[in-house]
């Protein structure tokens, strides 16, 4: 079974600085997807960035980028130029690519990292 | 374009009671998944519905059941409530046929408290 581990329960960053959130996972599959989701106090999960395991290039979305190390099974999220609106719970998630033709929406989540942004 | 909507937003039940939570998927989506998020934890997959059938199920007892209607909306039912069922229940929708890396859209959840 696949597992996702986030070892940082809480992190803090100064506004405009850079912060990196860690995530490791365990799987025997070779093809899968990894995600970072943001959950603000409104509770709605919002997709931040995704990575396809078969792509070596690290994904980037504006101020958000990942460091994907497939051999090490590591998937960290870097937030540059942190803003007050980035404060939230961040979850790392795994999705198998061997699902039933796209009919499987099972994500395996880590326990989350609560990010505080200091003005 | 309406996103995923869930109701009710909050509810309180007592042990042994039954509860029904509702979800309307994002417009154009045909697949609904349910997740349970206990306090301080990440969401855990309960099950997924597509074409009005349960397609995949997580490690949850039979007390958890669901339904999908022809308009793609869905219900989650929990019988014989336990204190441990207290959690935020999230609904997520997607469209079958999109790449598996496609985005799931989540609702804001239903906060269930069991006393």
């Amino acid at each position: 079974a696949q597992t996702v581990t986030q070892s940082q329960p809480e992190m803090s960053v100064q506004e405009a600085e850079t912060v990196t959130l860690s995530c490791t996972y365990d799987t025997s599959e070779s093809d899968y997807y990894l995600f970072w989701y943001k959950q603000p106090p409104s509770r709605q999960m919002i997709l931040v960035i995704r990575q396809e395991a078969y792509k070596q290039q690290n994904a980037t979305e504006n101020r958000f980028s990942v460091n994907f190390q497939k051999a090490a099974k590591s998937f960290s999220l870097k937030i540059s130029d942190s803003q007050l609106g980035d404060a939230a719970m961040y979850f790392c998630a795994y999705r198998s690519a061997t699902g039933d033709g796209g009919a499987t929406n099972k994500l395996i989540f880590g326990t989350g990292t609560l990010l505080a942004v200091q003005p | 374009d309406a996103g995923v909507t869930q109701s009710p937003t909050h509810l309180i039940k007592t042990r042994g009671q039954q509860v029904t939570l509702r979800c309307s998927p994002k417009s154009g989506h045909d697949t609904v998944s349910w997740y349970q998020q206990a306090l301080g934890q990440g969401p855990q997959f309960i099950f997924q519905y597509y074409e009005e059938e349960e397609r995949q199920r997580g490690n949850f007892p039979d007390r958890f059941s669901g339904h999908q209607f022809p308009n793609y909306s869905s219900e989650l039912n929990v019988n014989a409530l336990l204190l441990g069922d207290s959690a935020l229940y999230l609904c997520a929708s997607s469209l079958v046929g999109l790449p598996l890396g496609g985005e799931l859209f989540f609702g804001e959840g239903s906060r269930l408290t069991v006393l």
Side-chain angles (χ1 to χ4, degrees):
Chain A
Q2 297 84 22
T3 59
V4 175
T5 302
Q6 294 179 250
S7 59
Q8 305 157 315
E10 298 182 14
M11 293 283 285
S12 182
V13 63
Q14 291 291 128
E15 200 174 1
E17 296 296 309
T18 296
V19 64
T20 298
L21 308 184
S22 300
C23 172
T24 59
Y25 60 95
D26 190 29
T27 184
S28 58
E29 298 177 331
S30 58
D31 198 12
Y32 47 86
Y33 297 87
L34 296 167
F35 305 85
W36 279 97
Y37 276 88
K38 169 185 178 182
Q39 187 177 40
S42 68
R43 311 183 315 197
Q44 186 175 24
M45 287 280 192
I46 301 166
L47 178 65
V48 174
I49 197 166
R50 82 194 80 189
Q51 176 76 42
E52 296 155 343
Y54 62 87
K55 288 188 176 180
Q56 293 185 337
Q57 186 174 6
N58 290 324
T60 299
E61 290 286 345
N62 300 314
R63 299 183 294 107
F64 299 88
S65 61
V66 299
N67 183 5
F68 173 50
Q69 302 290 327
K70 191 172 184 179
K73 296 179 181 175
S74 171
F75 182 61
S76 61
L77 174 69
K78 185 172 79 172
I79 306 175
S80 304
D81 186 26
S82 297
Q83 301 175 0
L84 295 177
D86 295 333
M89 183 71 86
Y90 285 81
F91 290 97
C92 177
Y94 173 103
R95 184 180 189 180
S96 172
T98 59
D100 180 18
T104 177
N105 286 338
K106 181 179 180 180
L107 291 177
I108 300 169
F109 287 87
T111 52
T113 297
L114 182 61
L115 178 66
V117 180
Q118 308 300 327
Chain B
D1 180 21
V4 179
T5 58
Q6 293 186 242
S7 64
T9 54
H10 295 85
L11 69 165
I12 300 173
K13 294 285 187 177
T14 56
R15 282 177 294 177
Q17 284 190 312
Q18 178 265 343
V19 67
T20 297
L21 308 178
R22 297 175 178 82
C23 171
S24 292
K26 179 179 169 63
S27 178
H29 283 184
D30 56 8
T31 301
V32 173
S33 305
W34 287 92
Y35 287 80
Q36 180 195 65
Q37 185 177 14
L39 194 63
Q41 300 295 317
Q44 286 195 299
F45 177 79
I46 303 175
F47 45 50
Q48 172 182 312
Y49 277 83
Y50 169 63
E51 290 186 330
E52 302 180 45
E53 291 186 10
E54 183 182 296
R55 296 291 178 158
Q56 190 174 13
R57 189 178 184 93
N59 188 25
F60 280 81
D62 292 343
R63 298 187 298 109
F64 289 77
S65 63
H67 188 78
Q68 186 180 33
F69 299 94
N71 66 353
Y72 308 122
S73 67
S74 177
E75 289 182 349
L76 164 65
N77 300 292
V78 187
N79 295 321
L81 285 168
L82 304 174
L83 295 179
D85 295 332
S86 295
L88 179 67
Y89 289 86
L90 296 169
C91 173
S93 74
S94 65
L95 179 62
V96 165
L98 291 181
L100 289 177
E103 183 174 357
L104 292 186
F105 287 82
F106 284 83
E108 294 187 357
S110 295
R111 171 76 68 190
L112 171 65
T113 301
V114 182
L115 301 177

